[in-house]
Amino acid sequence: MIRFVSSSILAGLVFAASANACGFHNYTPQPTLVNRLLVSDDIVLARMAPDNPFQFQAFEALEGNLGAAEIPYLIDATTRRRLALDSNAAVLFARDGSYGPWKRLAFVDAALAPVLRTVMENLPAWEVGGDDHRLGYFATLLGHPDDRIHRLALRELDLADYSLLRDLDLDLAPSRLLVQFDSPMESEFKPIRILLLGLSGEKQQRARLESGLENSVRAEGRFLGAYATALIELVGPEAINDIASVYLTDRDLPLVARELLIEAISLHGQTGDRVMEEAISVAIESSLWLDPGLAGAVARRFGSRGDWSHHSALQALLMEGAVHAPADKQDVSQYVMLAQNSIEEH
């Protein structure tokens, strides 16, 4: 029965369908190397077959059965050359199920081998949880001199919930994050790079983040949530006030853009920082009174995090009939109900 379900857990279920992606994942992150390995039954290392330099031959099974590892791909010229130059190098392949297609995952040389070894050692634990340990390990690889490993770390951290990301012990110079920062070929790494700039603590990045936010919000850019989240992280409550006063009640901006900003703000709530939480409360509730059309977005974004701090304001708008869109009215009603349940539980 619902009354025995935690309100914060229930909120995630209730608002999942109506909420968009999170403030900095308003895109689909690529699967990481670890994620691919986690869903694989057979994982092997392969080199050139002794009697055919164009054919792969598996020589070590990291997971599964080596005997069934027939890899039906020809070796391209670049890989042949790299394997010929390094007798210890290999190519990592994996597949899901005994008859699934083999997928080439990585070229494993002296730089990548210790990373792969650590991943394989921890794979059983990571399969059943261990997110903190997994993220902590890849955090140590940020800024690795080998760009492939640096990117592996970026991709892993890109999947982390922001609350986990901000708790990591990160030590990375912004100058490394800014390498190919605006390159179209590196666009998949830009959101996490933006977030890490915000977490860097270097105030000289403020102008870059403010400019990125302005450009993204006007053009409905895909990095809007990341820029807003990072700016708030770097600047603090002042950024909350600026975002609310400049953007949230600007009705010329699309509601979808303003909802992403609300999501970015919600990520910084419930941290125990009373000054930040007070700034969020003032910014959101003043924005709601100026534009009640934001009520549904506030309910969805804060409700999905089990944050009921805007219960009174949303309930008042609902009672006054200020929430008009049917979907918004439903989401606000659910938020108010769950908030009341939470109050009764505590």
Side-chain angles (χ1 to χ4, degrees), residues 240-302:
I240 298 281
N241 299 333
D242 290 344
I243 289 172
S245 62
V246 176
Y247 301 117
L248 283 190
T249 55
D250 183 349
R251 300 192 189 208
D252 290 334
L253 293 177
L255 184 57
V256 65
R258 291 186 286 160
E259 184 158 350
L260 282 171
L261 294 176
I262 291 170
E263 168 70 359
I265 292 172
S266 75
L267 291 171
H268 294 276
Q270 298 181 306
T271 60
D273 183 334
R274 294 184 63 182
V275 176
M276 178 68 82
E277 291 177 1
E278 178 63 22
I280 292 173
S281 179
V282 171
I284 292 296
E285 294 183 19
S286 61
S287 297
L288 283 171
W289 295 124
L290 290 169
D291 185 0
L294 297 172
V298 170
R300 286 187 289 273
R301 297 308 183 166
F302 283 88

Side-chain angles (χ1 to χ4, degrees), residues 74-95:
L74 294 176
I75 305 177
D76 60 271
T78 300
T79 302
R80 285 201 309 275
R81 184 163 54 252
R82 295 177 72 184
L83 290 172
L85 290 173
D86 185 352
S87 60
N88 293 317
V91 178
L92 179 68
F93 286 92
R95 67 179 176 181

Side-chain angles (χ1 to χ4, degrees), residues 44-66:
V44 301
L45 291 172
R47 296 192 186 117
M48 293 181 291
D51 57 347
N52 186 348
F54 298 95
Q55 180 180 340
F56 282 110
Q57 179 174 304
F59 68 91
E60 182 178 353
L62 304 180
E63 186 78 29
N65 184 2
L66 182 61

